[in-house]
Amino acid sequence: MTATDPNRALPLDPSLAPPGTRNFRDAGGIPADRWHADQNGETLVPTHCCFCGVQCGMYLRVDRGGKVFGVEPRNHDINRMRLCPKGINAYQQVNHPDRLTAPLMRRNRDEEFREVSWDEALDHTVAEIRRIQGEYGNDAFGLLGGASLYSEKTYLVGKFARVALKSRHVDYNGRLCMVSAAGANKLAFGIDRAGNPFSDILLTDCLLIAGSNVGECFPVMTQYLWGARDRGATLIVVDPRETAIARTADIHVALKPGTDSAFFNAVLHVVVAEGLTDEAYLAAHAAGWEEVKATVAAYPPARSAEICGVPAEQIVQVARMFAGADRAMAWHARGVEHHSQGVENCLSIINLCVAAGHIGRPGAGYGTITGQGNGQGGREHGQKSDLLPGGRSITNPEHRRQICEIWGIDEAELPPAGTSMMEMVWQMQRKEIRGLVGICNNPFVSLPNYATVKDGYDTLEFHAQFDFFLSETAANAHVVFPVTVWAEDEGVMANAEARVVKHNKAQEPPAGVRTDTWVICELARRLGAGDKFAFPDSRSVFEELRIASAGTVNDYYGITYERLEETGGIAWPCPSTEHPGTPRLFENGRTYHPDGKIHMQVVEWHPPMDPYSEEFPLSLTTGRTVAHFLSGNQTRRLGALVEQTPRPWVEVHPSHGFRNGDPVRVVTRRGSEVFPALVTEAIRPDTVFVPYHWPVPTAANALTIDALDPRSKIPEYKVCAARIEAAERIDEVPAPPTAPGHQAYPETQVSRTDPLPPTSPQGRGTAERS
Amino acid sequence: MMGRTIFIDPGRCIGCQACVSACRECDSHRGKSMIHLDYPDEGHSVASLPTVCMHCEDPVAPCAEVCPADAILVTADGVVQQADTTRCIGCANCVNACPFGVPKIDLQAKLQMKCNLCYDRTAYGLAPMCATVCPTGALFYGTLEELQAERPGVQVADSFTFGSTTVSTGVAMVVPADKVQWPVPGGLPVVEINGRDVR
Ligand code: SF4
Ligand code: SF4
């Protein structure tokens, strides 16, 4: 087998592992030659990164005293030793001085937090739940989970809301992540996950990356991109910004934010016009093609070129390159999903893949790149307002019956579907929701339109939050429960390929810290549902989850902890313990719809929800930087990452006349904030970009609009109308909140007030540096 | 012929600084990174490239040659070590001598620090930390044959001119396949980038 062999598939032939790494195999957690273990008396615990949806394998280095003190790369076949800076620094949060180690409580928001016993915090929370539900009904108390939690815990969140709280109001922060893709996949294919494993990228001839800054958001995935290009694959990047990956692409389509479906409809128009469709595949496997074809007829390249602000020839080139390839793949991320037409954008890409026959083959298919570690697994087992375990629909009577049987409750007791995360905030404002428990999420930074979010949370009569650092949201709560970090418990996550991987426990939690599982079960017990929540640990929850998913599309039944440890990960569906898992979908052409067909959906482009005007002529778009993760509650405390990217900036084109570092006020219909300018040709003249990991007064989300996609309810983070103007001073970056008595970690203060934009990541500096 | 070494491919670098973080984690200079990223075309492009010690071979390690305290050891396999802490007087001669701007001085400790190709790892057959984690393979550790097996047609350069002086290095740089230049200009004034006059 040679490096150019198109049939090579992951797990890679060991001879293709990065040279120099061969002695370092996954051998029961110890490198084969044991040098490290012998040298320092340390142990290496095999686990995965807690951050993004790649889920890179890593070892945590544990000293003789049982404390995590470092990281060592691991030759897991997802990442083959590679890690991004977040993964390398992740271990530092385990024993970080900002860790919460005792429950915090206060009776109202004017008081200071005081440390209290677990009993007092739990009793007070249960009393408030009882009071609020007694006065206003069960649905007046809500639960918001998170997609950084292990799947076991997300299962518990969904079960706790419906069985112990008996409330319909449960949702999770994956709602802000990839639900548009999930909705589109479900509509088209009847299954909610990527169609192909990452390793298929190595086999493709043409790779289309839409709305994804792979280099910064999923850095370790770039090795697959380069692997494909080493074999001669072409690369098309669709993104308003020239990202590091776009820089070297064969075609970079720098379209105007919010015009993706107009672009993909036009590409499909050309594919049809040039006879590049795979009619045999369409006839055998697709429904709805005629309607789709009729719709895209109205999107000739000239029309879409005008809407998208790109040359019409590019549309033609993309069509020929993608549809003309033997095997092509499309991967997309939040850039196309974070829109009020997020589901439609994803569907327009799916239509293109299907029409060109690029589905269900090695090197041909589609995928969505999950932002959060467990963005995929986090919604599969009932944490999302409309889903029950196993991806069952909460409105389907048969599904409801099945779950009630497993849970041992009466069907009439199971609440109906609730609302989405942003809608719950609006309900808080309207006092329909009066109490809330939030688990490992930070909406004060992560939800759009901060003023509305703050108002919603301030209106709550009672708010409890689980976290291991005091997040901006937790700092506004009445009760804060200190819980474990990922390395202090075991559990599974499903990565962007729907590969379920197992995280292992590397150290005991600090005194005073409990697992989320323990806290949820303890609350349930005190609410009188203890018999349904007798789970001593993650493993016992996973056993119930397996059974609860059996026979569904999201079948985990065949996945066990032991198998995960042996295999390094299994892709669901996996119906039996002999089943190898399903890394690639639709190989037989059949989808998960009852008729086995792909249901192609008509997509019409419509403009973004926030209209441009003379006052607000520009597009504001937001995104990530490589050093930080989501709301930054974790990464804004790690010295190396803060130093790498100390503060947000606004990326502006040189045509606006600013110089690097100038204070620039970004104004939208929701508010205004001042950032240092990062003047660069890597962005469109009509677009500005602000990374979103910081709280007010440096929060991109104080400016973004809380418009939602009607189907997925994802907020439209990626486009709103804005203007920029010169300002006097630059808003200082606030330090992350810390609990009383905790010293802020000194290293996190590095360069915090340095007004200049960082030269990293990606060197987007200016030509002149004053 | 080059043995196992680092190959730098700036075309792949995404500027993520995983190499910088990884270097900090390496046991031999734990807490300090010996890599920095350069942004050769700031404001116009997002291009970036990592700078590691090039482990000069000919002339043998200018840093070591100028060291008055004989603190910088070059091992038989061509690795230019970090200054010996018992000898280094922190005079910074090495900093001035290095054509690639690699060694750093800790002024307080009066000590020089530089990349030693993760000697604690490479001696055991492991890749250096930076090349191990680099997500894109912009930093690659292995032999030229291994690199070419993975990346068909790849061309590398391992000599660089600075004015009238040519330096051959133990670490090699990937250069555009259609424009192999021997040696690669190192210290000459840059007049053109991507067809744009930058004088
Ligand atoms: S953040 Fe993502 S890419 Fe980076 S190390 Fe973690 S899992 Fe890998
Ligand atoms: S780790 Fe690799 S891609 Fe990232 S900055 Fe360093 S050399 Fe570049």
Side-chain angles (χ1 to χ4, degrees):
Chain A
M1 205 188 268
T2 67
T4 48
D5 182 349
N7 293 317
R8 81 183 199 195
L10 280 188
L12 284 180
D13 172 349
S15 69
L16 293 171
T21 63
R22 261 170 237 151
N23 311 356
F24 200 97
R25 309 302 308 185
D26 254 11
I30 306 285
D33 60 9
R34 302 181 67 90
W35 68 278
H36 240 117
D38 285 344
Q39 203 177 41
N40 300 329
E42 72 189 61
T43 23
L44 298 179
V45 176
T47 188
H48 292 263
C49 175
C50 54
F51 293 127
C52 85
V54 179
Q55 288 294 289
C56 297
M58 59 164 66
Y59 290 104
L60 289 174
R61 298 173 69 179
V62 181
D63 68 15
R64 286 201 184 113
K67 291 268 182 230
V68 169
F69 75 99
V71 65
E72 187 64 47
R74 174 179 170 200
N75 199 3
H76 190 279
D77 71 352
I78 294 175
N79 60 313
R80 297 179 294 146
M81 315 282 279
R82 285 109 199 261
L83 291 169
C84 84
K86 290 186 287 290
I88 294 166
N89 290 292
Y91 78 88
Q92 291 169 15
Q93 59 178 327
V94 182
N95 295 304
H96 195 287
D98 286 0
R99 280 289 299 276
L100 300 174
T101 49
L104 303 177
M105 204 175 115
R106 58 185 169 192
R107 296 279 161 173
N108 62 59
R109 290 194 185 82
D110 316 327
E111 286 170 23
E112 289 285 303
F113 276 123
R114 58 192 174 90
E115 292 193 350
V116 297
S117 69
W118 274 96
D119 269 331
E120 190 176 350
L122 289 163
D123 284 342
H124 179 61
T125 303
V126 167
E128 284 293 302
I129 293 172
R130 288 237 164 86
R131 178 185 67 78
I132 288 171
Q133 291 194 324
E135 277 180 47
Y136 310 106
N138 286 353
D139 291 343
F141 208 97
L143 194 61
L144 278 174
S148 303
L149 293 165
Y150 293 145
S151 295
E152 292 84 348
K153 297 176 180 179
T154 67
Y155 173 84
L156 271 185
V157 168
K159 183 173 177 184
F160 177 81
R162 279 115 182 190
V163 176
L165 273 186
K166 301 187 167 66
S167 166
R168 64 193 289 186
H169 287 309
V170 54
D171 207 50
Y172 78 127
N173 66 3
R175 186 68 84 170
L176 320 175
C177 181
M178 55 178 288
V179 287
S180 291
N185 296 342
K186 198 94 196 195
L187 279 170
F189 302 107
I191 186 169
D192 154 19
R193 54 157 275 201
N196 299 62
F198 290 148
S199 54
D200 267 7
I201 297 174
L202 294 169
L203 308 176
T204 193
D205 300 311
C206 175
L207 188 59
L208 187 148
I209 305 266
S212 177
N213 182 359
V214 183
E216 293 200 63
C217 307
F218 320 99
V220 170
M221 213 180 133
T222 54
Q223 63 174 316
Y224 292 96
L225 265 62
W226 280 110
R229 301 197 79 191
D230 287 338
R231 277 188 48 256
T234 52
L235 175 65
I236 303 167
V237 173
V238 182
D239 198 306
R241 299 198 299 155
E242 189 201 71
T243 59
I245 288 301
R247 178 173 77 88
T248 57
D250 296 277
I251 304 178
H252 170 211
V253 184
L255 46 58
K256 195 172 162 128
T259 63
D260 306 78
S261 55
F263 174 77
F264 286 106
N265 274 357
V267 173
L268 188 49
H269 175 104
V270 178
V271 171
V272 173
E274 305 219 337
L276 294 169
T277 50
D278 186 339
E279 292 298 335
Y281 188 85
L282 286 164
H285 302 296
W289 168 230
E290 288 309 318
E291 293 79 355
V292 169
K293 195 158 133 187
T295 321
V296 299
Y299 290 82
R303 177 183 170 209
S304 286
E306 193 155 311
I307 297 173
C308 308
V310 299
E313 306 84 74
Q314 265 195 341
I315 297 174
V316 178
Q317 281 171 347
V318 169
R320 290 182 185 152
M321 198 179 273
F322 187 83
D326 270 352
R327 294 171 293 188
M329 290 189 98
W331 287 81
H332 51 82
R334 309 303 83 75
V336 298
E337 294 158 19
H338 275 163
H339 289 282
S340 56
Q341 50 189 334
V343 175
E344 286 152 312
N345 288 344
C346 297
L347 286 168
S348 68
I349 298 176
I350 290 172
N351 285 345
L352 174 63
C353 291
V354 174
H358 293 319
I359 283 289
R361 288 182 289 136
Y366 73 96
T368 177
I369 313 171
T370 328
Q372 301 195 65
N374 204 19
Q376 174 70 48
R379 69 175 171 280
E380 289 166 2
H381 299 290
Q383 191 182 200
K384 191 162 169 262
S385 63
D386 54 348
L387 291 183
L388 289 172
R392 290 179 177 89
S393 165
I394 199 163
T395 50
N396 179 320
E398 175 61 14
H399 290 177
R400 291 172 64 88
R401 194 191 54 72
Q402 289 168 346
I403 283 301
C404 289
E405 209 163 275
I406 293 164
W407 285 350
I409 58 169
D410 196 50
E411 215 186 305
E413 284 176 46
L414 187 68
T419 53
S420 75
M421 193 160 179
M422 192 67 219
E423 290 170 312
M424 281 172 68
V425 171
W426 298 334
Q427 286 173 297
M428 295 177 208
Q429 281 186 305
R430 297 194 301 262
K431 299 196 175 172
E432 290 165 26
I433 293 178
R434 298 193 181 234
L436 184 87
V437 176
I439 303 180
C440 299
N441 53 38
N442 191 9
F444 275 39
V445 180
S446 60
L447 275 175
N449 196 353
Y450 170 76
T452 297
V453 178
K454 173 93 167 75
D455 185 48
Y457 274 79
D458 279 348
T459 312
L460 287 174
E461 291 174 22
F462 176 78
H463 171 205
Q465 197 73 23
F466 291 32
D467 219 319
F468 46 84
F469 293 133
L470 196 67
S471 70
E472 284 74 12
T473 309
N476 197 58
H478 296 98
V479 173
V480 184
F481 293 111
V483 288
T484 43
V485 299
W486 100 109
E488 292 161 357
D489 199 2
E490 62 179 352
V492 304
M493 294 213 197
N495 82 345
E497 312 161 288
R499 182 205 298 248
V500 180
V501 295
K502 178 157 183 286
H503 290 239
N504 293 316
K505 178 170 169 174
Q507 77 166 36
E508 287 300 324
V513 169
R514 306 287 160 86
T515 65
D516 316 72
T517 308
W518 184 87
V519 188
I520 295 171
C521 293
E522 194 54 31
L523 284 173
R525 193 177 67 77
R526 287 166 200 243
L527 284 166
D531 57 321
K532 309 273 191 299
F533 290 85
F535 299 109
D537 51 20
S538 292
R539 181 182 288 266
S540 56
V541 184
F542 190 70
E543 289 309 311
E544 186 173 303
L545 182 158
R546 284 178 60 212
I547 295 165
S549 74
T552 66
V553 173
N554 296 60
D555 201 330
Y556 273 49
Y557 185 73
I559 302 176
T560 63
Y561 276 9
E562 288 71 25
R563 286 191 76 196
L564 290 177
E565 272 154 20
E566 273 160 33
T567 56
I570 298 174
W572 62 265
C574 179
S576 74
T577 46
E578 286 74 48
H579 194 283
T582 318
R584 187 183 300 114
L585 300 177
F586 325 125
E587 286 192 280
N588 49 11
R590 277 192 68 83
T591 68
Y592 291 78
H593 284 303
D595 63 1
K597 296 241 186 225
I598 300 167
H599 293 191
M600 296 179 84
Q601 310 281 324
V602 165
V603 173
E604 292 279 8
W605 175 76
H606 51 84
M609 296 303 277
D610 208 18
Y612 302 112
S613 64
E614 242 165 68
E615 209 187 337
F616 299 107
L618 302 176
S619 302
L620 167 66
T621 190
T622 66
R624 305 187 192 201
T625 126
V626 68
H628 291 295
F629 187 63
L630 305 188
S631 79
N633 185 36
Q634 301 174 65
T635 53
R636 280 186 281 113
R637 298 172 198 265
L638 304 183
L641 299 178
V642 176
E643 202 178 311
Q644 185 172 338
T645 311
R647 57 164 306 128
W649 62 87
V650 56
E651 236 165 86
V652 296
H653 192 266
S655 59
H656 295 288
F658 289 106
R659 282 163 48 114
N660 196 31
D662 283 353
V664 172
R665 179 178 300 282
V666 182
V667 191
T668 69
R669 294 192 173 91
R670 270 105 9 232
S672 81
E673 278 182 355
V674 181
F675 305 93
L678 206 156
V679 183
T680 175
E681 288 166 13
I683 192 157
R684 292 174 60 92
D686 59 9
T687 302
V688 294
F689 169 86
V690 179
Y692 66 67
H693 311 283
W694 289 264
V696 279
T698 57
N701 282 330
L703 310 173
T704 48
I705 183 172
D706 51 345
L708 305 181
D709 179 289
R711 284 186 281 198
S712 68
K713 307 289 167 71
I714 209 169
E716 184 150 72
Y717 291 106
K718 288 295 183 277
V719 55
C720 64
R723 71 165 181 271
I724 53 175
E725 50 197 43
E728 291 290 302
R729 46 154 201 97
I730 290 171
D731 288 337
E732 280 197 9
V733 180
T738 48
H742 286 239
Q743 284 295 315
Y745 191 41
E747 272 184 57
T748 62
Q749 304 304 318
V750 177
S751 345
R752 194 166 286 286
T753 53
D754 178 359
L756 277 184
T759 51
S760 67
Q762 302 193 358
R764 282 207 192 82
T766 62
E768 336 148 48
R769 200 163 259 292
S770 43
Chain B
M1 196 58 244
M2 274 176 278
R4 287 201 154 175
T5 187
I6 289 183
F7 293 87
I8 303 172
D9 185 347
R12 295 188 181 218
C13 180
I14 51 171
C16 70
Q17 301 205 29
C19 50
V20 176
S21 270
C23 189
R24 269 194 203 100
E25 293 301 319
C26 166
D27 281 330
S28 61
H29 28 243
R30 203 170 159 80
K32 296 241 159 57
S33 179
M34 297 296 118
I35 295 186
H36 64 267
L37 276 205
D38 285 318
Y39 302 102
D41 194 18
E42 275 192 86
H44 300 286
S45 136
V46 295
S48 53
L49 82 142
T51 301
V52 298
C53 173
M54 300 296 284
H55 298 280
C56 303
E57 286 175 342
D58 180 23
V60 168
C63 57
E65 282 192 356
V66 300
C67 175
D70 265 350
I72 302 176
L73 169 80
V74 183
T75 55
D77 49 358
V79 174
V80 182
Q81 297 287 348
Q82 172 168 341
D84 180 338
T85 50
T86 62
R87 288 181 166 232
C88 176
I89 54 172
C91 70
N93 268 5
C94 51
V95 175
N96 298 324
C98 174
F100 299 99
V102 170
K104 297 177 185 176
I105 293 285
D106 180 336
L107 283 174
Q108 266 175 340
K110 284 207 184 285
L111 276 184
Q112 177 253 31
M113 288 171 307
K114 69 176 279 301
C115 152
N116 61 357
L117 206 79
C118 278
Y119 211 59
D120 58 327
R121 304 175 73 83
T122 48
Y124 285 94
L126 298 172
M129 262 303 220
C130 58
T132 307
V133 301
C134 174
T136 62
L139 290 167
F140 177 96
Y141 181 75
T143 63
L144 182 59
E145 292 70 38
E146 286 168 330
L147 178 76
Q148 285 173 334
E150 266 199 24
R151 306 179 192 173
V154 73
Q155 294 284 349
V156 305
D158 62 355
S159 56
F160 303 84
T161 59
F162 298 87
S164 57
T165 310
T166 299
V167 181
S168 302
T169 55
V171 166
M173 184 82 90
V174 171
V175 290
D178 54 341
K179 277 195 215 148
V180 190
Q181 288 182 1
W182 295 90
V184 174
L188 291 178
V190 180
V191 292
E192 187 209 277
I193 296 176
N194 295 338
R196 192 162 37 76
D197 193 336
V198 293
R199 265 175 297 198

